[in-house]
Amino acid sequence: MRVIAKRTLREFWESAPQYADAQGPLEAWYTEVHKAAWRTPPDIKAQFRHASILKNNRVVFNIGGNKYRLVVAVDYQRQVLFIRFIGTHSQYDAIDAEVV
């Protein structure tokens, strides 16, 4: 999968000292996803069993022992994954993950 854009992840962990611990888990997530070739939501669940599949091709990943949430939009046909949100649980609770 092509991830648009890794820069968004880097900007998150560099945005505040309290998010620096997200760097390792986000880089590990990126490495795994970049190698993936998902065709359907069950393909994602097979690799990331704690991922949540939502409407509008949105997927929520738990990052860093579930300390952070990452919301992506997946275009299975083009093999592209768009990062839509990264934040803490409380920040995630303030958004609508199906439309971000």
XYZ file of all heavy atoms in Angstrom:
826
model
N 0.850 -1.176 0.000
C 0.000 0.000 0.000
C 0.893 1.236 0.000
O 1.898 1.278 0.686
C -0.891 0.033 1.236
C -1.824 -1.145 1.426
S -3.144 -1.287 0.223
C -4.164 0.091 0.614
N 0.454 2.208 -0.745
C 1.137 3.501 -0.722
C 0.450 4.358 0.331
O -0.777 4.482 0.333
C 1.053 4.160 -2.097
C 1.963 5.334 -2.244
C 2.038 5.744 -3.687
N 0.710 6.127 -4.139
C 0.470 7.156 -4.938
N 1.446 7.863 -5.407
N -0.757 7.450 -5.296
N 1.218 4.925 1.241
C 0.671 5.706 2.340
C 0.837 7.192 2.047
O 1.943 7.660 1.799
C 1.371 5.356 3.676
C 0.817 6.203 4.801
C 1.231 3.869 3.984
N -0.273 7.911 2.099
C -0.278 9.354 1.865
C -0.666 10.013 3.180
O -1.794 9.899 3.605
C -1.297 9.743 0.765
C -1.120 8.920 -0.506
C -1.228 11.234 0.504
C 0.185 9.122 -1.234
N 0.163 10.623 3.857
C 1.586 10.811 3.670
C 2.291 10.509 4.998
O 1.800 10.871 6.056
C 1.898 12.232 3.244
N 3.457 9.901 4.872
C 4.249 9.595 6.061
C 4.600 10.873 6.824
O 4.716 10.867 8.047
C 5.519 8.837 5.679
C 6.320 8.403 6.896
C 7.529 7.591 6.531
C 8.247 7.125 7.790
N 9.445 6.370 7.476
N 4.707 11.953 6.115
C 5.019 13.240 6.741
C 4.000 13.584 7.837
O 4.352 14.143 8.880
C 5.038 14.337 5.687
C 5.298 15.717 6.269
C 5.180 16.776 5.227
N 3.790 16.762 4.758
C 3.340 17.469 3.741
N 4.147 18.232 3.049
N 2.077 17.417 3.389
N 2.737 13.234 7.627
C 1.696 13.501 8.623
C 2.016 12.787 9.929
O 1.835 13.351 11.015
C 0.326 13.041 8.095
O 0.075 13.683 6.843
C -0.785 13.365 9.078
N 2.509 11.559 9.824
C 2.890 10.806 11.024
C 4.056 11.487 11.734
O 4.034 11.673 12.945
C 3.257 9.374 10.655
C 2.179 8.556 9.947
C 2.732 7.186 9.561
C 0.939 8.429 10.807
N 5.068 11.852 10.969
C 6.249 12.503 11.537
C 5.877 13.829 12.199
O 6.341 14.144 13.296
C 7.317 12.717 10.461
C 8.623 13.285 11.024
C 9.711 13.450 9.966
N 9.317 14.389 8.927
C 8.967 14.046 7.679
N 8.972 12.784 7.307
N 8.622 14.962 6.802
N 5.035 14.600 11.544
C 4.611 15.872 12.116
C 3.877 15.667 13.442
O 4.000 16.488 14.340
C 3.735 16.635 11.130
C 4.516 17.205 9.967
C 3.640 17.819 8.892
O 2.392 17.669 8.952
O 4.197 18.437 7.970
N 3.150 14.568 13.563
C 2.455 14.295 14.816
C 3.444 14.040 15.940
O 3.379 14.683 16.986
C 1.494 13.114 14.670
C 0.852 12.726 15.969
C -0.145 13.515 16.521
C 1.263 11.604 16.661
C -0.725 13.186 17.740
C 0.695 11.260 17.872
C -0.307 12.062 18.418
N 4.383 13.100 15.753
C 5.285 12.781 16.867
C 6.259 13.916 17.169
O 6.792 13.989 18.266
C 5.975 11.436 16.705
C 7.087 11.327 15.707
C 8.286 11.969 15.731
C 7.134 10.471 14.561
N 9.065 11.581 14.671
C 8.378 10.653 13.935
C 6.251 9.558 14.007
C 8.761 9.974 12.788
C 6.625 8.876 12.858
C 7.868 9.090 12.259
N 6.466 14.817 16.208
C 7.334 15.966 16.453
C 6.562 17.181 16.977
O 7.175 18.158 17.396
C 8.063 16.359 15.166
C 9.097 15.346 14.727
C 9.753 15.705 13.401
O 9.270 16.630 12.698
O 10.747 15.048 13.057
N 5.234 17.117 16.988
C 4.418 18.287 17.325
C 4.459 18.661 18.802
O 4.248 19.823 19.147
C 2.970 18.065 16.897
O 2.369 17.044 17.678
N 4.701 17.687 19.665
C 4.746 17.974 21.098
C 5.560 16.887 21.786
O 5.531 15.719 21.361
C 3.338 18.021 21.674
N 6.286 17.236 22.846
C 7.118 16.237 23.536
C 6.323 15.021 24.024
O 6.839 13.903 24.006
C 7.698 17.011 24.719
C 7.640 18.440 24.325
C 6.443 18.574 23.422
N 5.077 15.213 24.415
C 4.295 14.079 24.926
C 3.909 13.078 23.833
O 3.476 11.978 24.140
C 3.044 14.550 25.683
C 2.000 15.242 24.837
C 2.129 16.747 24.802
O 3.220 17.292 24.931
N 1.013 17.436 24.621
N 4.079 13.446 22.564
C 3.774 12.521 21.470
C 5.017 11.824 20.923
O 4.923 11.003 20.015
C 3.067 13.236 20.325
C 1.782 13.912 20.720
C 1.391 15.084 20.097
C 0.953 13.385 21.709
C 0.204 15.727 20.457
C -0.227 14.026 22.071
C -0.593 15.187 21.437
O -1.755 15.814 21.785
N 6.189 12.133 21.459
C 7.430 11.550 20.949
C 7.437 10.030 21.052
O 8.047 9.350 20.216
C 8.627 12.138 21.690
N 6.730 9.480 22.045
C 6.688 8.022 22.195
C 5.897 7.338 21.089
O 5.938 6.110 20.961
C 6.117 7.636 23.562
C 4.675 8.069 23.751
O 4.222 9.016 23.067
O 3.998 7.464 24.598
N 5.223 8.088 20.243
C 4.474 7.513 19.123
C 5.384 7.205 17.933
O 4.992 6.447 17.038
C 3.364 8.460 18.682
N 6.589 7.733 17.917
C 7.460 7.570 16.748
C 7.720 6.105 16.417
O 7.514 5.681 15.281
C 8.789 8.299 16.948
C 9.709 8.151 15.745
C 10.999 8.953 15.865
O 11.203 9.696 16.835
N 11.873 8.805 14.891
N 8.190 5.330 17.379
C 8.502 3.913 17.110
C 7.291 3.131 16.630
O 7.349 2.458 15.585
N 6.157 3.182 17.346
C 4.973 2.448 16.889
C 4.460 2.912 15.523
O 4.035 2.087 14.716
C 3.939 2.714 17.991
C 4.734 3.029 19.199
C 5.970 3.729 18.697
N 4.513 4.217 15.259
C 4.040 4.693 13.955
C 4.978 4.271 12.830
O 4.518 3.910 11.737
C 3.878 6.216 13.971
C 2.648 6.722 14.720
C 2.706 8.235 14.893
C 1.366 6.300 14.027
N 6.274 4.291 13.083
C 7.218 3.825 12.055
C 7.039 2.337 11.805
O 7.099 1.880 10.654
C 8.653 4.145 12.460
C 8.982 5.621 12.343
C 10.397 5.957 12.767
O 10.977 5.238 13.611
O 10.922 6.967 12.258
N 6.807 1.554 12.859
C 6.569 0.112 12.694
C 5.276 -0.125 11.906
O 5.237 -0.975 11.002
C 6.504 -0.572 14.048
N 4.230 0.626 12.239
C 2.966 0.514 11.509
C 3.175 0.843 10.036
O 2.728 0.111 9.155
C 1.924 1.450 12.131
C 0.643 1.492 11.370
C -0.426 0.659 11.508
C 0.303 2.401 10.318
N -1.416 1.007 10.614
C -0.986 2.076 9.867
C 0.966 3.472 9.719
C -1.622 2.766 8.848
C 0.333 4.167 8.696
C -0.949 3.809 8.279
N 3.869 1.932 9.754
C 4.128 2.351 8.375
C 4.870 1.261 7.596
O 4.512 0.949 6.457
C 4.927 3.657 8.355
C 5.278 4.105 6.965
C 4.389 4.881 6.230
C 6.472 3.736 6.359
C 4.691 5.279 4.937
C 6.784 4.126 5.080
C 5.888 4.906 4.369
O 6.188 5.285 3.086
N 5.880 0.679 8.212
C 6.659 -0.366 7.539
C 5.775 -1.547 7.159
O 5.859 -2.058 6.039
C 7.817 -0.831 8.445
O 8.674 0.289 8.699
C 8.615 -1.941 7.800
N 4.917 -1.973 8.079
C 4.013 -3.098 7.802
C 3.012 -2.763 6.705
O 2.773 -3.558 5.800
C 3.261 -3.505 9.075
C 4.127 -4.201 10.082
C 4.691 -5.513 9.557
O 3.921 -6.330 9.025
O 5.908 -5.711 9.673
N 2.423 -1.586 6.789
C 1.391 -1.195 5.822
C 1.996 -0.995 4.441
O 1.395 -1.364 3.429
C 0.667 0.073 6.310
C -0.237 0.641 5.235
C -0.128 -0.245 7.566
N 3.185 -0.428 4.391
C 3.839 -0.180 3.108
C 4.086 -1.487 2.342
O 4.045 -1.506 1.108
C 5.153 0.573 3.338
C 5.791 1.065 2.096
N 5.254 2.078 1.341
C 6.926 0.692 1.461
C 6.027 2.288 0.296
N 7.047 1.465 0.354
N 4.290 -2.577 3.068
C 4.524 -3.890 2.435
C 3.226 -4.615 2.094
O 3.246 -5.593 1.360
C 5.355 -4.776 3.363
C 6.774 -4.295 3.566
C 7.591 -5.287 4.364
C 7.294 -5.163 5.843
N 8.168 -6.007 6.683
N 2.104 -4.154 2.629
C 0.830 -4.852 2.476
C 0.228 -4.636 1.084
O 0.561 -3.676 0.387
C -0.155 -4.375 3.533
N -0.663 -5.537 0.714
C -1.417 -5.434 -0.543
C -2.863 -5.821 -0.260
O -3.369 -6.819 -0.759
C -0.804 -6.330 -1.607
N -3.532 -5.011 0.548
C -4.896 -5.317 0.956
C -5.877 -5.102 -0.185
O -5.838 -4.103 -0.882
C -5.308 -4.441 2.125
C -4.446 -4.596 3.338
C -3.886 -5.745 3.806
C -4.039 -3.575 4.234
N -3.171 -5.489 4.946
C -3.250 -4.170 5.242
C -4.284 -2.203 4.299
C -2.703 -3.449 6.278
C -3.742 -1.487 5.339
C -2.961 -2.102 6.314
N -6.779 -6.055 -0.360
C -7.824 -5.965 -1.387
C -9.208 -5.774 -0.785
O -10.119 -5.318 -1.469
C -7.818 -7.223 -2.261
C -6.541 -7.428 -3.029
C -6.464 -6.467 -4.169
N -5.204 -6.617 -4.876
C -4.662 -5.679 -5.608
N -5.256 -4.512 -5.726
N -3.534 -5.870 -6.217
N -9.348 -6.153 0.504
C -10.643 -6.079 1.171
C -10.421 -5.783 2.653
O -9.323 -6.012 3.179
C -11.400 -7.414 1.064
O -10.661 -8.415 1.750
C -11.622 -7.832 -0.395
N -11.457 -5.320 3.349
C -11.321 -5.099 4.790
C -10.880 -6.349 5.569
O -10.065 -6.223 6.492
C -12.717 -4.628 5.207
C -13.232 -3.937 3.985
C -12.725 -4.772 2.834
N -11.360 -7.552 5.222
C -10.860 -8.728 5.951
C -9.341 -8.926 5.823
O -8.718 -9.490 6.725
C -11.625 -9.892 5.329
C -12.909 -9.276 4.864
C -12.502 -7.905 4.377
N -8.748 -8.454 4.746
C -7.286 -8.533 4.611
C -6.612 -7.697 5.703
O -5.593 -8.094 6.267
C -6.827 -8.020 3.241
C -7.261 -8.905 2.091
O -7.652 -10.069 2.331
O -7.226 -8.419 0.933
N -7.186 -6.540 5.993
C -6.641 -5.691 7.050
C -6.803 -6.375 8.398
O -5.866 -6.430 9.199
C -7.321 -4.310 7.050
C -7.009 -3.569 5.750
C -6.871 -3.484 8.269
C -7.765 -2.272 5.571
N -8.001 -6.901 8.661
C -8.265 -7.564 9.942
C -7.366 -8.784 10.141
O -6.996 -9.098 11.266
C -9.737 -7.994 10.035
C -10.709 -6.853 10.186
C -10.589 -6.149 11.504
C -11.269 -6.923 12.614
N -11.266 -6.186 13.894
N -6.996 -9.446 9.065
C -6.100 -10.604 9.176
C -4.718 -10.178 9.659
O -4.050 -10.927 10.373
C -6.000 -11.322 7.832
N -4.293 -8.996 9.276
C -2.967 -8.506 9.667
C -3.011 -7.711 10.972
O -2.093 -7.789 11.779
C -2.386 -7.640 8.551
C -0.948 -7.242 8.799
C -0.309 -6.617 7.578
O -0.914 -6.515 6.513
N 0.926 -6.197 7.731
N -4.064 -6.933 11.172
C -4.226 -6.091 12.361
C -5.575 -6.426 12.990
O -6.574 -5.766 12.704
C -4.184 -4.600 11.987
C -2.848 -4.120 11.510
C -2.544 -4.082 10.161
C -1.892 -3.690 12.415
C -1.314 -3.628 9.712
C -0.655 -3.230 11.984
C -0.363 -3.210 10.628
N -5.603 -7.427 13.833
C -6.885 -7.921 14.337
C -7.627 -6.929 15.205
O -8.839 -7.023 15.357
C -6.704 -9.247 15.063
C -5.918 -9.188 16.330
C -5.702 -10.592 16.902
N -4.932 -10.529 18.117
C -5.436 -10.728 19.320
N -6.700 -11.027 19.452
N -4.670 -10.625 20.378
N -6.931 -5.925 15.752
C -7.604 -4.927 16.583
C -8.022 -3.693 15.792
O -8.563 -2.745 16.374
C -6.719 -4.516 17.761
C -6.499 -5.637 18.731
N -7.502 -6.175 19.479
C -5.386 -6.346 19.048
C -7.040 -7.151 20.224
N -5.743 -7.279 19.972
N -7.799 -3.699 14.492
C -8.247 -2.578 13.665
C -9.774 -2.589 13.601
O -10.402 -3.651 13.634
C -7.659 -2.686 12.264
N -10.348 -1.405 13.526
C -11.805 -1.285 13.408
C -12.151 -0.826 11.999
O -11.644 0.199 11.532
C -12.345 -0.269 14.412
O -12.063 -0.676 15.725
N -13.000 -1.579 11.340
C -13.442 -1.244 9.990
C -14.711 -0.407 10.109
O -15.683 -0.833 10.728
C -13.709 -2.525 9.165
C -12.510 -3.476 9.210
C -14.103 -2.157 7.742
C -11.223 -2.942 8.646
N -14.704 0.777 9.500
C -15.843 1.686 9.548
C -16.430 1.883 8.157
O -15.895 1.376 7.171
C -15.409 3.043 10.114
C -14.688 3.050 11.457
C -14.296 4.471 11.825
C -15.557 2.434 12.530
N -17.506 2.666 8.083
C -18.099 3.031 6.797
C -17.136 3.921 6.020
O -16.189 4.456 6.566
C -19.406 3.787 7.020
C -20.495 2.980 7.669
C -21.708 3.850 7.876
C -22.748 3.140 8.707
N -23.889 4.026 9.007
N -17.447 4.108 4.742
C -16.683 5.001 3.858
C -15.226 4.597 3.734
O -14.344 5.447 3.608
C -16.785 6.455 4.335
C -18.204 6.976 4.282
O -18.979 6.569 3.417
N -18.542 7.839 5.208
N -14.971 3.295 3.782
C -13.606 2.765 3.632
C -12.637 3.319 4.663
O -11.448 3.462 4.407
C -13.067 2.992 2.222
C -13.787 2.139 1.206
O -14.133 0.994 1.482
N -14.032 2.681 0.033
N -13.139 3.652 5.840
C -12.297 4.129 6.931
C -11.890 2.957 7.820
O -12.656 2.024 8.040
C -13.015 5.159 7.801
C -13.445 6.425 7.094
C -12.247 7.219 6.597
N -12.571 8.593 6.300
C -13.009 9.035 5.140
N -13.231 8.196 4.155
N -13.234 10.328 4.952
N -10.667 3.040 8.328
C -10.151 2.032 9.249
C -9.474 2.774 10.396
O -8.762 3.754 10.174
C -9.131 1.100 8.549
C -8.610 0.044 9.523
C -9.748 0.440 7.325
N -9.701 2.287 11.615
C -9.077 2.856 12.803
C -8.073 1.850 13.336
O -8.414 0.689 13.590
C -10.115 3.184 13.891
C -9.421 3.774 15.116
C -11.180 4.129 13.362
N -6.827 2.297 13.494
C -5.762 1.470 14.048
C -5.421 1.964 15.447
O -5.370 3.172 15.688
C -4.498 1.551 13.182
C -4.658 0.957 11.817
C -5.019 1.754 10.743
C -4.442 -0.394 11.610
C -5.163 1.217 9.477
C -4.580 -0.943 10.347
C -4.947 -0.136 9.278
N -5.185 1.034 16.348
C -4.697 1.349 17.687
C -3.172 1.371 17.626
O -2.567 0.401 17.188
C -5.178 0.316 18.694
C -6.677 0.287 18.801
O -7.324 1.323 18.830
N -7.248 -0.901 18.836
N -2.592 2.448 18.071
C -1.147 2.650 17.973
C -0.556 2.814 19.373
O -1.142 3.485 20.215
C -0.827 3.907 17.124
C -1.443 3.815 15.726
C 0.675 4.164 17.050
C -0.875 2.728 14.834
N 0.611 2.230 19.577
C 1.324 2.422 20.841
C 0.586 1.851 22.030
O 0.406 2.538 23.027
N 0.155 0.605 21.924
C -0.558 -0.019 23.028
C -1.909 0.633 23.273
O -2.367 0.735 24.395
N -2.520 1.094 22.189
C -3.843 1.721 22.218
C -3.824 3.109 22.854
O -4.855 3.629 23.263
C -4.861 0.815 22.915
C -6.261 1.036 22.410
O -6.467 1.607 21.355
N -7.228 0.590 23.174
N -2.645 3.728 22.936
C -2.539 5.089 23.460
C -2.997 6.114 22.425
O -3.528 7.164 22.770
C -1.090 5.370 23.872
C -0.896 6.712 24.517
C 0.516 6.883 25.048
C 0.679 8.238 25.718
N 2.047 8.413 26.225
N -2.788 5.792 21.152
C -3.135 6.685 20.055
C -4.077 5.979 19.092
O -4.104 4.747 19.016
C -1.877 7.134 19.296
C -0.884 7.821 20.191
C 0.262 7.166 20.623
C -1.091 9.128 20.618
C 1.167 7.780 21.460
C -0.177 9.751 21.458
C 0.948 9.077 21.870
O 1.833 9.699 22.702
N -4.811 6.778 18.339
C -5.696 6.263 17.299
C -5.279 6.876 15.970
O -5.004 8.068 15.881
C -7.151 6.635 17.585
C -7.755 5.945 18.789
C -8.128 4.509 18.416
N -8.674 3.776 19.517
C -9.962 3.551 19.716
N -10.854 4.063 18.894
N -10.357 2.830 20.722
N -5.275 6.032 14.957
C -4.930 6.447 13.602
C -6.096 6.084 12.696
O -6.487 4.919 12.631
C -3.651 5.736 13.150
C -3.203 5.925 11.717
C -2.833 7.375 11.451
C -2.012 5.026 11.425
N -6.664 7.080 12.019
C -7.785 6.852 11.111
C -7.272 7.039 9.690
O -6.622 8.048 9.388
C -8.950 7.829 11.377
C -10.090 7.582 10.396
C -9.430 7.713 12.813
N -7.579 6.073 8.842
C -7.164 6.145 7.446
C -8.363 5.887 6.541
O -9.339 5.275 6.947
C -6.043 5.123 7.134
C -4.829 5.351 8.004
C -6.542 3.702 7.270
N -8.253 6.370 5.321
C -9.201 6.047 4.259
C -8.445 5.163 3.276
O -7.320 5.482 2.888
C -9.701 7.307 3.571
N -9.053 4.058 2.892
C -8.372 3.083 2.042
C -9.011 3.047 0.658
O -10.227 2.933 0.536
C -8.428 1.673 2.665
C -7.663 0.685 1.802
C -7.892 1.686 4.082
N -8.177 3.161 -0.361
C -8.611 2.940 -1.745
C -8.002 1.610 -2.163
O -6.832 1.542 -2.548
C -8.133 4.076 -2.641
C -8.620 3.934 -4.078
O -8.855 2.790 -4.530
O -8.761 4.976 -4.750
N -8.788 0.548 -2.023
C -8.285 -0.806 -2.274
C -7.879 -0.994 -3.730
O -6.879 -1.646 -4.010
C -9.342 -1.842 -1.892
C -9.679 -1.837 -0.425
C -10.782 -1.147 0.058
C -8.876 -2.513 0.487
C -11.090 -1.141 1.413
C -9.173 -2.509 1.842
C -10.286 -1.818 2.300
O -10.575 -1.813 3.635
N -8.637 -0.426 -4.644
C -8.342 -0.619 -6.064
C -7.009 0.008 -6.466
O -6.220 -0.608 -7.168
C -9.465 -0.027 -6.913
C -9.294 -0.293 -8.385
C -10.489 0.194 -9.191
O -11.430 0.768 -8.646
N -10.447 -0.023 -10.478
N -6.747 1.212 -5.986
C -5.489 1.892 -6.330
C -4.360 1.570 -5.375
O -3.232 2.036 -5.563
C -5.704 3.400 -6.374
C -6.636 3.814 -7.486
C -6.790 5.294 -7.652
N -6.400 6.075 -6.490
C -6.706 7.335 -6.291
N -7.405 7.981 -7.169
N -6.320 7.969 -5.202
N -4.671 0.796 -4.302
C -3.662 0.419 -3.307
C -3.046 1.639 -2.634
O -1.835 1.755 -2.467
C -2.562 -0.452 -3.941
C -3.028 -1.833 -4.346
C -3.284 -2.691 -3.113
O -2.359 -3.130 -2.466
N -4.550 -2.915 -2.795
N -3.924 2.580 -2.232
C -3.493 3.809 -1.585
C -4.235 3.949 -0.259
O -5.429 3.669 -0.175
C -3.767 5.042 -2.468
C -3.354 6.326 -1.765
C -3.059 4.920 -3.795
N -3.511 4.392 0.740
C -4.070 4.610 2.065
C -3.816 6.075 2.429
O -2.682 6.531 2.376
C -3.364 3.668 3.038
C -3.874 3.615 4.441
C -3.784 2.175 4.929
C -3.045 4.500 5.309
N -4.880 6.795 2.765
C -4.788 8.216 3.092
C -4.933 8.401 4.596
O -5.956 8.009 5.165
C -5.890 9.001 2.390
C -5.844 8.895 0.897
C -6.575 7.913 0.238
C -5.076 9.772 0.147
C -6.538 7.806 -1.144
C -5.036 9.667 -1.234
C -5.756 8.681 -1.883
N -3.956 9.008 5.231
C -4.036 9.276 6.662
C -5.003 10.441 6.856
O -4.832 11.515 6.276
C -2.652 9.599 7.246
C -1.760 8.369 7.109
C -2.774 10.051 8.704
C -0.328 8.599 7.461
N -6.032 10.202 7.670
C -7.058 11.211 7.893
C -6.971 11.836 9.289
O -7.403 12.954 9.484
C -8.451 10.604 7.691
C -8.640 9.893 6.361
C -8.465 10.800 5.193
N -9.506 11.817 5.258
C -9.535 12.921 4.542
N -8.565 13.168 3.707
N -10.511 13.779 4.667
N -6.426 11.078 10.270
C -6.350 11.582 11.636
C -5.355 10.743 12.422
O -5.291 9.531 12.260
C -7.732 11.472 12.307
C -7.703 11.738 13.784
C -7.760 13.029 14.273
C -7.590 10.695 14.690
C -7.712 13.278 15.637
C -7.547 10.922 16.048
C -7.600 12.221 16.523
N -4.602 11.407 13.299
C -3.771 10.727 14.298
C -3.871 11.556 15.568
O -3.756 12.778 15.530
C -2.298 10.547 13.842
C -1.447 9.914 14.939
C -1.690 11.845 13.386
C -1.690 8.482 15.190
N -4.153 10.871 16.674
C -4.269 11.596 17.931
C -4.508 10.662 19.102
O -4.524 9.435 18.950
N -4.693 11.252 20.268
C -4.964 10.494 21.481
C -6.418 10.019 21.467
O -7.214 10.436 20.620
C -4.738 11.364 22.723
O -5.691 12.429 22.700
C -3.328 11.921 22.774
N -6.753 9.173 22.432
C -8.130 8.703 22.543
C -9.103 9.859 22.745
O -10.169 9.892 22.123
C -8.276 7.706 23.691
C -8.139 6.287 23.258
N -9.204 5.557 22.805
C -7.070 5.476 23.201
C -8.793 4.346 22.486
N -7.497 4.272 22.714
N -8.761 10.806 23.597
C -9.681 11.919 23.841
C -9.839 12.781 22.590
O -10.939 13.261 22.293
C -9.233 12.757 25.032
O -7.960 13.294 24.822
N -8.770 12.966 21.838
C -8.871 13.711 20.580
C -9.720 12.934 19.572
O -10.530 13.512 18.854
C -7.483 13.980 20.007
C -6.668 14.943 20.827
C -5.194 14.936 20.454
O -4.676 13.970 19.902
N -4.515 16.032 20.765
N -9.547 11.620 19.541
C -10.333 10.768 18.647
C -11.816 10.841 18.991
O -12.665 10.886 18.101
C -9.834 9.326 18.735
C -10.697 8.325 18.018
C -10.581 8.139 16.645
C -11.630 7.564 18.703
C -11.376 7.223 15.981
C -12.429 6.646 18.056
C -12.299 6.482 16.692
O -13.094 5.578 16.031
N -12.130 10.883 20.267
C -13.536 10.931 20.701
C -14.236 12.207 20.233
O -15.462 12.237 20.168
C -13.632 10.818 22.220
C -13.271 9.423 22.718
O -13.292 8.460 21.914
O -12.955 9.287 23.926
N -13.463 13.232 19.896
C -14.030 14.510 19.479
C -14.288 14.600 17.976
O -14.797 15.599 17.498
C -13.114 15.647 19.917
N -13.950 13.543 17.216
C -14.135 13.577 15.762
C -15.152 12.529 15.343
O -15.490 11.633 16.114
C -12.804 13.335 15.015
C -12.306 11.905 15.261
C -11.760 14.382 15.386
C -11.296 11.416 14.262
N -15.597 12.630 14.091
C -16.406 11.581 13.486
C -15.496 10.844 12.511
O -15.208 11.346 11.416
C -17.603 12.183 12.764
C -18.525 11.127 12.160
O -18.141 9.936 12.112
O -19.622 11.493 11.730
N -15.029 9.692 12.916
C -14.023 8.956 12.137
C -14.530 8.531 10.758
O -13.728 8.285 9.874
C -13.557 7.727 12.918
N -15.835 8.474 10.575
C -16.376 8.048 9.291
C -16.368 9.161 8.256
O -16.572 8.901 7.070
C -17.791 7.512 9.460
C -17.804 6.220 10.259
C -19.214 5.674 10.476
O -20.205 6.365 10.125
O -19.310 4.557 11.011
N -16.120 10.398 8.687
C -16.143 11.501 7.724
C -14.869 12.338 7.697
O -14.735 13.201 6.846
C -17.357 12.434 7.961
C -18.653 11.701 7.722
C -17.314 13.052 9.330
N -13.940 12.118 8.627
C -12.702 12.912 8.604
C -11.908 12.607 7.359
O -12.002 11.575 6.779
C -11.803 12.709 9.843
C -12.473 13.241 11.071
C -11.326 11.317 9.977
